[in-house]
Amino acid sequence: MNTPGLLDLFADAERLMMNRLKLLAIIPTLLVLYLTGCAKNQQAVDKVSDSNANALSAQHSRFEKSDDPPFSVQTQFAAGQLAESQEAPLAAIGYYQAALKIAPHHRDSLYRTGVCYTKLKNWSRAIDAWKQYLKETGGDATAYGNLGFCYALAGRKADAEHAYQLGVARDPANVACRVNFGLFLAREERTEEATAQWKAVLTEAQVHYNLGSMYEQQNKRDQARAEFRQALQLDANLVDAKTRLAALD
């Protein structure tokens, strides 16, 4: 089983921004009917009585002028998901914003907007999106963790720490917020504080694994090896620790 909380910097941003998304499996198909007039069709109408011809012409006119079916929130959201899968975050944001115009409180669209702006490193808009998402969740601890994570990427360390602290206060047992807070503290070389955050929600083996991961990212290879070995002594089935240790050796 993979150890929760490993952060390979920005590459793992989405995985650590935990959310209960239900991805749409099917993108609704939009049928567009194009009406084309031709001399042959006009002749057919001319051969009926005047009253019937007028009625048919009126029906035809109403059909041609009718509006296309409106795009639903689900349609816009699915289009955004497709754009993201095609590595087009700007286009995805456009679809998510269209969904939010229809339903301003659509959480999934708010969440994905935050993710896309974070990928684009547009910190001001990303932070605004995460704040709005936080508001819509009613101050959920994981949402605080998402905001804190974005603040940290933007270099706003004091704001990041404050957001994490609020999340932990809201739900001390929240794994996502605690783990991300610990990773933030570890990067600041506040190892004891980081360990305390992890110990609240992780096993001892997972704590050592996270420490090893952070040391590896800091190119402290000997310390990383020691932590991975300690993790394996506590849990021999920790596959990720075996893999990382083998790579270092």
Side-chain angles (χ1 to χ4, degrees):
M1 180 179 69
N2 291 336
T3 301
L6 172 60
L7 174 63
D8 291 328
L9 296 180
F10 188 72
D12 281 346
E14 282 194 73
R15 181 168 62 80
L16 291 174
M17 290 179 180
M18 297 182 182
N19 192 50
R20 304 168 188 84
L21 279 180
K22 295 181 180 179
L23 301 181
L24 298 182
I26 299 175
I27 298 177
T29 302
L30 301 179
L31 276 180
V32 180
L33 178 62
Y34 292 94
L35 296 179
T36 56
C38 64
K40 182 178 180 181
N41 290 338
Q42 185 60 47
Q43 290 170 0
V45 173
D46 287 344
K47 291 180 181 179
V48 300
S49 65
D50 290 342
S51 60
N52 287 339
N54 291 336
L56 287 171
S57 295
Q59 290 174 7
H60 185 258
S61 177
R62 285 196 298 272
F63 187 66
E64 282 185 329
K65 293 179 181 179
S66 66
D67 295 330
D68 290 332
F71 289 106
S72 68
V73 173
Q74 290 77 15
T75 301
Q76 297 286 9
F77 181 74
Q81 294 277 274
L82 179 61
E84 280 196 75
S85 73
Q86 297 172 339
E87 301 298 327
L90 279 175
I93 288 169
Y95 288 118
Y96 296 140
Q97 289 179 337
L100 290 167
K101 286 182 180 179
I102 301 169
H105 304 290
H106 192 244
R107 288 187 186 182
D108 289 354
S109 291
L110 283 170
Y111 176 83
R112 298 311 305 178
T113 297
V115 170
C116 288
Y117 276 130
T118 302
K119 281 183 175 180
L120 291 168
K121 299 184 181 181
N122 190 330
W123 306 126
S124 61
R125 291 192 176 183
I127 288 166
D128 285 345
W130 290 122
K131 283 182 176 179
Q132 184 61 31
Y133 178 72
L134 176 65
K135 181 180 178 181
E136 289 299 329
T137 63
D140 178 75
T142 300
Y144 271 117
N146 292 345
L147 178 60
F149 184 78
C150 190
Y151 273 136
L153 290 175
R156 295 172 58 173
K157 296 180 181 180
D159 289 328
E161 184 165 357
H162 183 59
Y164 284 131
Q165 288 171 338
L166 290 174
V168 169
R170 182 62 184 264
D171 181 5
N174 187 276
V175 177
C177 191
R178 287 266 195 189
V179 168
N180 279 355
F181 191 15
L183 292 166
F184 168 80
L185 293 168
R187 286 195 297 274
E188 296 299 306
E189 299 186 355
R190 295 160 62 179
T191 307
E192 289 186 6
E193 294 174 78
T195 301
Q197 291 297 326
W198 291 333
K199 283 184 176 180
V201 291
L202 301 178
T203 67
E204 192 73 19
Q206 290 169 340
V207 170
H208 285 286
Y209 174 77
N210 275 359
L211 282 171
S213 299
M214 291 307 305
Y215 285 137
E216 185 181 10
Q217 289 174 6
Q218 295 166 357
N219 203 31
K220 298 177 180 179
R221 299 172 67 85
D222 289 340
Q223 289 167 282
R225 287 190 189 94
E227 294 297 338
F228 288 141
R229 290 192 182 106
Q230 184 64 31
L232 287 169
Q233 287 179 5
L234 293 165
D235 183 357
N237 296 318
L238 206 56
V239 177
D240 286 348
K242 290 180 182 178
T243 303
R244 302 290 284 275
L245 183 59
L248 285 170
D249 290 341

